[in-house]
Amino acid sequence: MTYLETAAQFYREVAETPQVGLCCVQSTPLQLPGLKIPLPMQEMNYGCGTTVHSMELGNQPTVLYVGVGGGLEALQFAYFSRHAGAVIAVEPVGAMREAAARNLEIAAQENPWFDTSFVEIREGDAFNLPVADSTVDIVAQNCLFNIFEPQDLTRALKEAYRVLKPGGRLQMSDPIATSQIPAHLQQDERLRAMCLSGALTYQQYTERITNAGFGQVEIRARRPYRLLDSQTYNLEEHLLLESLDSVSFKVAIPEDGACIFTGKTAVYAGLEPFFDDSAGHLLQRGIPAAVCDKTAAKLAAINPAEIIVTNSTWHYSGGGCC
């Protein structure tokens, strides 16, 4: 079998027999007023973070969710877009489609506001999304793209870019590795399907996103989630995996490169009321201003004596420079 066939078989098994806490460390589902998440959905919470960011969900966006799982995040997205076909959930594994449909039926019984028509489950995969070009506001995936080998990850990212409207958002949560995962683990197809051996480093992961055409990337959360210990995984030293939540925008890449926001700020500490870098960035004396990593590096190089650049917080929620 190919590694994708191994992954499909694995997720067929866990669709038929849910495994609580599988894949990534189980995250607590987003709590929203009037939303009740059925127990079967909670048991099939196979994500490593969240892709549902309320600030992105005004005006009832159309959402394409890749890899429906138990339907948990599809239900959460439908909470914000309560109309027929608001969420298109694409899933290649038949057993998972069936499980998600059952779970959504239970959700309709437990949530008076929810109708199963809000989520349309379609057969398909990340490489051939069954929608037309530039037709959805949001593409989301949780703990799926990390399974792909690098060339397939690029295919999936470009396919997401294709179906997004201009200005649309790719909302993802994936494991990343704090150092390169050794080849013997990368080649273990079962571990790859379990989200334990396919993760790229942060630098590799964000480069793949921007190389696919996304001009702005915002890091919403970065946190430890799993340790590959040296004894169990035959490593020279322990290897920490992290969970990364990001939102990437289908906007043009500036001439000097994509903007990646990781929570850095720049603070002007000079004597004048303002500092103007003549490149569109105006800093008020003593007031931290959110900046992308690219701008942070430039400002620090321009005037290191008077501009303080803070470290990445690995959390960014808007208000930036670019």
Side-chain angles (χ1 to χ4, degrees):
M1 293 191 295
T2 67
Y3 84 95
L4 291 172
E5 290 170 334
T6 299
Q9 176 179 300
F10 178 78
Y11 283 98
R12 189 177 304 113
E13 295 170 2
V14 300
E16 296 169 348
T17 306
Q19 297 185 29
V20 177
L22 174 72
C23 180
C24 306
V25 169
Q26 191 176 43
S27 54
T28 301
L30 178 65
Q31 301 299 307
L32 296 164
L35 172 62
K36 183 176 181 181
I37 298 174
L39 180 59
M41 278 187 179
Q42 297 183 42
E43 292 176 342
M44 297 178 69
N45 181 14
Y46 300 151
C48 63
T50 185
T51 68
V52 184
H53 306 291
S54 57
M55 69 175 57
E56 311 292 343
L57 298 174
N59 302 317
Q60 301 196 67
T62 299
V63 179
L64 176 65
Y65 196 87
V66 188
V68 67
L72 189 154
E73 290 198 334
L75 175 65
Q76 292 174 332
F77 277 116
Y79 178 91
F80 294 93
S81 297
R82 303 183 183 188
H83 59 84
V87 181
I88 303 166
V90 177
E91 173 60 56
V93 180
M96 196 66 81
R97 294 196 300 272
E98 294 170 4
R102 289 194 302 269
N103 292 345
L104 290 168
E105 290 283 356
I106 298 171
Q109 297 170 15
E110 298 183 358
N111 292 273
W113 59 268
F114 178 67
D115 189 284
T116 55
S117 68
F118 295 174
V119 179
E120 179 185 347
I121 301 176
R122 298 183 186 177
E123 182 177 2
D125 59 49
F127 312 125
N128 299 282
L129 297 174
V131 296
D133 296 358
S134 305
T135 53
V136 299
D137 299 297
I138 292 171
V139 174
Q141 68 82 23
N142 194 330
C143 211
L144 169 65
F145 282 16
N146 78 97
I147 292 174
F148 298 148
E149 292 182 349
Q151 65 273 19
D152 286 336
L153 173 59
T154 294
R155 289 174 59 201
L157 290 169
K158 289 184 175 179
E159 182 68 354
Y161 189 92
R162 176 186 69 81
V163 304
L164 282 170
K165 298 175 182 177
R169 289 143 288 168
L170 173 60
Q171 302 182 187
M172 304 195 292
S173 182
D174 274 310
I176 58 171
T178 52
S179 61
Q180 191 74 32
I181 293 180
H184 74 278
L185 294 184
Q186 293 184 39
Q187 294 163 5
D188 188 317
E189 295 179 353
R190 187 79 173 179
L191 288 180
R192 182 177 285 272
M194 295 172 65
C195 305
L196 291 177
S197 68
L200 300 176
T201 65
Y202 168 80
Q203 188 67 31
Q204 293 168 334
Y205 186 80
T206 53
E207 283 181 358
R208 293 274 170 177
I209 296 171
T210 57
N211 287 345
F214 293 93
Q216 181 166 316
V217 181
E218 299 178 359
I219 304 303
R220 296 298 167 82
R222 180 177 177 175
R223 52 193 175 273
Y225 93 92
R226 184 69 64 87
L227 181 73
L228 303 182
D229 66 88
S230 58
Q231 299 89 346
T232 303
Y233 296 97
N234 190 26
L235 299 169
E236 293 183 3
E237 57 184 18
H238 302 320
L239 198 162
L240 179 66
L241 302 182
E242 298 176 321
S243 172
L244 188 78
D245 295 355
S246 64
V247 179
S248 303
F249 293 79
K250 186 178 179 177
V251 296
I253 298 178
E255 291 183 2
D256 59 350
C259 299
I260 301 179
F261 289 87
T262 62
K264 290 182 183 294
T265 67
V267 190
Y268 173 56
L271 299 178
E272 300 298 324
F274 296 93
F275 174 82
D276 187 346
D277 71 348
S278 300
H281 309 110
L282 188 67
L283 304 181
Q284 184 178 355
R285 185 174 185 270
I287 305 298
V291 292
C292 71
D293 291 8
K294 175 185 62 179
T295 298
K298 289 182 178 180
L299 289 171
I302 289 172
N303 193 344
E306 295 184 339
I307 296 179
I308 299 167
V309 175
T310 62
N311 295 327
S312 297
T313 62
W314 304 111
H315 175 79
Y316 174 78
S317 57
C321 64
C322 303

